[in-house]
Amino acid sequence: MNEKLDLIPLPVSVKTHDSVFRSPVLPVIEGGSVFQNEIDLFKEQLCLYTDQSGAGSRTENSKKITLVMDSSLAAEAYTLEIRPQGLILKAASPAGAYHGLQSLRELILSSGRDDGIVLPCAEIADYPRFPWRGFMLDCSRYFYSTEFIKKIIDALSLHHINVFHWHLTDDQGWRLPVQKYPLLTEIGSKRLEYRYRDMYSGGFYSREDIRDIAAYAASRHVEIVPEVDLPGHTSSVLAAYPGLGCTGGPYRVEDRFGICEDVLCAGNDGIFDLADAVFDTLAELFPSPWVHIGGDEVLFNRWDACPKCRKRLEETGLTHSRELQSWITVKLARMLSERGKTAIGWDEILEDSEQYRLPEETAVMSWRGRAGGLAASRLGHRVVMSPNTEGCYFDYRNYGHHEEIGRDLVSTAAQCYNMDPAGPEMTDSEASLILGGQANLWSEVIYAGKIAEYMIFPRICALAEALWTPRDSKNFEDFKVRLPVHQKRLERLGLLQYRGPLE
Ligand code: ACM
Ligand code: ZN
């Protein structure tokens, strides 16, 4: 059989041996109670292989998978020994055990169904290069179901992706229920589709949906970072509460794409009452220490022309209305910090922030290339790299051909693979502030889960390796050899995948 394990992302170290491990069914799994959740979930994920007769659990001499706590390992690290007589997985934490079990799940998914489980004997030692290995799904431009989101989170976790950045609000729809502001969802979650007659689309997640998704992600060691995009990309807010805009409206939940002129009025204190209620809701529903506050693509012409915004300029001692964005960002970041949360925003939050400096703990997500991230790290901010110029925008085509799905721009798997969040251009101190990287799937032209899958896979496999595997072990040619085996695993999970050129 194939000596290679064909794991994606490639582990830090793999030694294979000639012998094999064989078992007709998923073996009994033993481990301390600290790993019980991971064990139960692993069995659920591989239920195809469980012994329906229960014989495996009754046979005393049956082969075993043994999980062992080894506190000498780093938090997300694991080691996996595959021997003919059994498997031993060591980890210092449930997260490390989960990652090890996901590598094992990959091996089992590609080991053939008819002869049960056949694995090459090997010793794997593994840990991540970056702590933030993310993926963002835009659930505003298209409203994805709870079931679909869970399917994606599960597949992400197979690749050791550990952050699901949930883009919950935008011009085209507000998806988060906020009890004190019921119109956000009553009005802001639905948009009239102007290309059709009398057709509304949209929806929102109930508190139960959110709790359900949050628990599902947490069990897979995926952290959900919710995003509420402020103060731009807020047509859905303005449609619900027109008093929060500079002109008073009328506004509508947008069905057009692009950047809208109407944003929250910087001169209206009511926008902070709204943020208060929204942040309370997020703090209640999401355990993550991070809240993404958006901050991208704010146009300032409304603020220029608005008497309330001009008054705010005077009060704050600022000269240009565009500087009000950092004044707002600083206030939002403080409000979050009062709730024990840390703000992260798109790289625009750093612009014109000389007067109102962002708190150092505020992190920056660099999307317009990597310059914003580099500038942020020079000021001492932590950074997540998600450059649209280097393959991280999954709404762009997989390949530059007009028959391909996506916006008329290209993010190849190769670009994504070669994206290095902490590139050699950085000093050690800048690189030490790089949390990691992520891919973003904006959904303007991705109007179904199946299309989303085609845009995510296999580019996320390339990104997972860029964020997990040591820089010196990365090799795109080798990745391309492993990928066909891996794509069979993804097929078995029912994921639609792009199959064309990768570079
Ligand atoms: C963005 O792509 N507007 C963050
Ligand atoms: Zn205003």
Side-chain angles (χ1 to χ4, degrees):
M1 78 179 286
N2 187 356
E3 288 279 308
K4 283 175 78 248
L5 303 183
D6 296 309
L7 286 168
I8 290 181
L10 185 72
V12 172
S13 140
V14 176
K15 283 189 212 124
T16 51
H17 304 291
D18 287 337
S19 45
V20 294
F21 168 89
R22 276 179 207 281
S23 176
V25 291
L26 192 66
V28 171
I29 309 176
E30 288 182 344
S33 58
V34 16
F35 298 135
Q36 201 53 52
N37 291 340
E38 287 65 35
I39 294 171
D40 291 344
L41 183 51
F42 181 71
K43 286 198 237 169
E44 209 180 298
Q45 288 169 327
L46 288 166
C47 57
L48 269 180
Y49 291 96
T50 49
D51 182 2
Q52 305 297 340
S53 72
S57 49
R58 272 192 272 112
T59 315
E60 249 174 52
N61 292 328
S62 68
K63 295 179 180 178
K64 287 187 183 127
I65 300 175
T66 310
L67 270 64
V68 180
M69 170 64 104
D70 180 347
S71 51
S72 71
L73 293 170
E76 287 197 272
Y78 70 91
T79 63
L80 177 62
E81 280 175 60
I82 306 173
R83 300 174 180 167
Q85 60 276 26
L87 277 64
I88 299 173
L89 173 60
K90 292 184 184 166
S93 71
Y98 186 79
H99 295 317
L101 288 170
Q102 293 311 296
S103 295
L104 180 56
R105 182 183 177 197
E106 286 197 15
L107 296 176
I108 293 175
L109 282 171
S110 53
S111 76
R113 214 181 298 214
D114 296 339
D115 45 357
I117 296 169
V118 185
L119 306 173
C121 287
E123 287 153 48
I124 302 172
D126 208 8
Y127 53 85
R129 180 173 170 210
F130 293 103
W132 185 302
R133 305 177 297 279
F135 172 75
M136 186 212 79
L137 186 65
D138 169 8
C139 293
S140 172
R141 274 59 175 264
Y142 181 74
F143 179 70
Y144 295 97
S145 72
T146 300
E147 283 319 304
F148 178 74
I149 292 173
K150 287 181 175 178
K151 180 183 184 187
I152 294 303
I153 288 174
D154 182 63
L156 294 173
S157 80
L158 180 71
H159 299 82
H160 314 320
I161 297 284
N162 65 344
V163 175
F164 178 72
H165 168 175
W166 198 359
H167 187 77
L168 281 164
T169 73
D170 215 303
D171 293 302
Q172 291 79 9
W174 181 280
R175 311 293 177 214
L176 176 77
V178 180
Q179 277 161 344
K180 282 195 189 146
Y181 289 81
L183 302 184
L184 288 172
T185 41
E186 262 175 64
I187 293 175
S189 73
K190 294 180 213 112
R191 72 171 188 247
L192 183 58
E193 300 265 358
Y194 281 83
R195 284 164 300 169
Y196 294 90
R197 287 184 194 280
D198 304 325
M199 186 179 135
Y200 281 86
S201 71
F204 64 93
Y205 303 100
S206 69
R207 293 165 69 84
E208 293 68 39
D209 292 336
I210 293 173
R211 287 215 166 91
D212 181 30
I213 291 175
Y216 184 92
S219 67
R220 284 156 178 79
H221 298 277
V222 173
E223 183 171 318
I224 299 190
V225 175
E227 179 185 353
V228 169
D229 203 344
L230 303 167
H233 286 287
T234 40
S235 301
S236 54
V237 180
L238 296 174
Y241 296 98
L244 297 177
C246 290
T247 65
Y251 303 109
R252 67 182 199 197
V253 182
E254 266 302 338
D255 86 318
R256 295 167 299 179
F257 300 127
I259 306 175
C260 302
E261 282 197 318
D262 286 300
V263 301
L264 299 184
C265 173
N268 187 338
D269 289 335
I271 68 174
F272 298 107
D273 298 335
L274 175 96
D276 246 324
V278 167
F279 292 166
D280 280 345
T281 306
L282 294 178
E284 203 188 321
L285 294 174
F286 295 97
S288 170
W290 296 101
V291 168
H292 201 300
I293 55 169
D296 56 322
E297 299 178 318
V298 182
L299 296 180
F300 305 112
N301 21 346
R302 292 288 191 238
W303 291 357
D304 284 336
C306 169
K308 283 175 282 177
C309 287
R310 301 214 64 81
K311 184 155 169 284
R312 184 76 83 200
L313 266 185
E314 276 171 35
E315 272 168 35
T316 50
L318 294 168
T319 321
H320 302 289
S321 59
R322 61 173 185 272
E323 294 169 295
L324 287 170
Q325 181 170 355
S326 57
W327 175 78
I328 291 175
T329 306
V330 169
K331 278 181 84 81
L332 297 178
R334 289 214 185 106
M335 288 164 65
L336 285 170
S337 121
E338 282 161 14
R339 291 164 173 83
K341 304 284 185 185
T342 306
I344 179 165
W346 300 109
D347 56 60
E348 286 95 330
I349 63 171
L350 205 61
E351 284 184 351
D352 304 302
S353 63
E354 291 78 11
Q355 301 290 326
Y356 284 89
R357 289 223 163 270
L358 305 185
E360 196 170 89
E361 62 167 22
T362 301
V364 170
M365 190 168 271
S366 193
W367 72 278
R368 299 173 299 174
R370 55 204 300 133
L374 202 54
S377 70
R378 290 190 178 137
L379 291 170
H381 298 286
R382 284 168 296 170
V383 170
V384 175
M385 285 291 189
S386 189
N388 61 350
T389 47
E390 295 180 44
C392 292
Y393 267 45
F394 285 6
D395 52 328
Y396 298 1
R397 290 175 169 147
N398 276 283
Y399 182 62
H401 192 284
H402 68 278
E403 304 295 355
E404 275 302 331
I405 298 168
R407 290 189 57 192
D408 191 17
L409 292 158
V410 179
S411 287
T412 64
Q415 278 179 303
C416 197
Y417 190 89
N418 292 321
M419 196 278 289
D420 188 345
E425 82 276 18
M426 291 183 184
T427 64
D428 287 349
S429 80
E430 286 156 9
S432 72
L433 291 164
I434 306 299
L435 294 171
Q438 91 175 28
N440 303 322
L441 181 58
W442 301 100
S443 56
E444 285 93 336
V445 297
I446 313 296
Y447 63 87
K450 272 292 152 203
I451 306 176
E453 290 176 16
Y454 183 90
M455 304 308 271
I456 299 171
F457 303 96
R459 285 185 289 197
I460 199 70
C461 313
L463 188 77
E465 192 149 313
L467 300 176
W468 179 276
T469 304
R471 185 201 277 157
D472 293 344
S473 309
K474 275 173 59 185
N475 178 329
F476 190 63
E477 293 307 311
D478 183 64
F479 172 81
K480 280 196 295 187
V481 174
R482 280 177 279 128
L483 186 60
V485 175
H486 189 69
Q487 289 200 277
K488 290 206 182 97
R489 299 174 183 136
L490 301 181
E491 224 167 75
R492 296 188 64 181
L493 298 180
L495 293 160
L496 184 69
Q497 301 167 69
Y498 164 77
R499 302 278 185 176
L502 300 173
E503 50 200 314

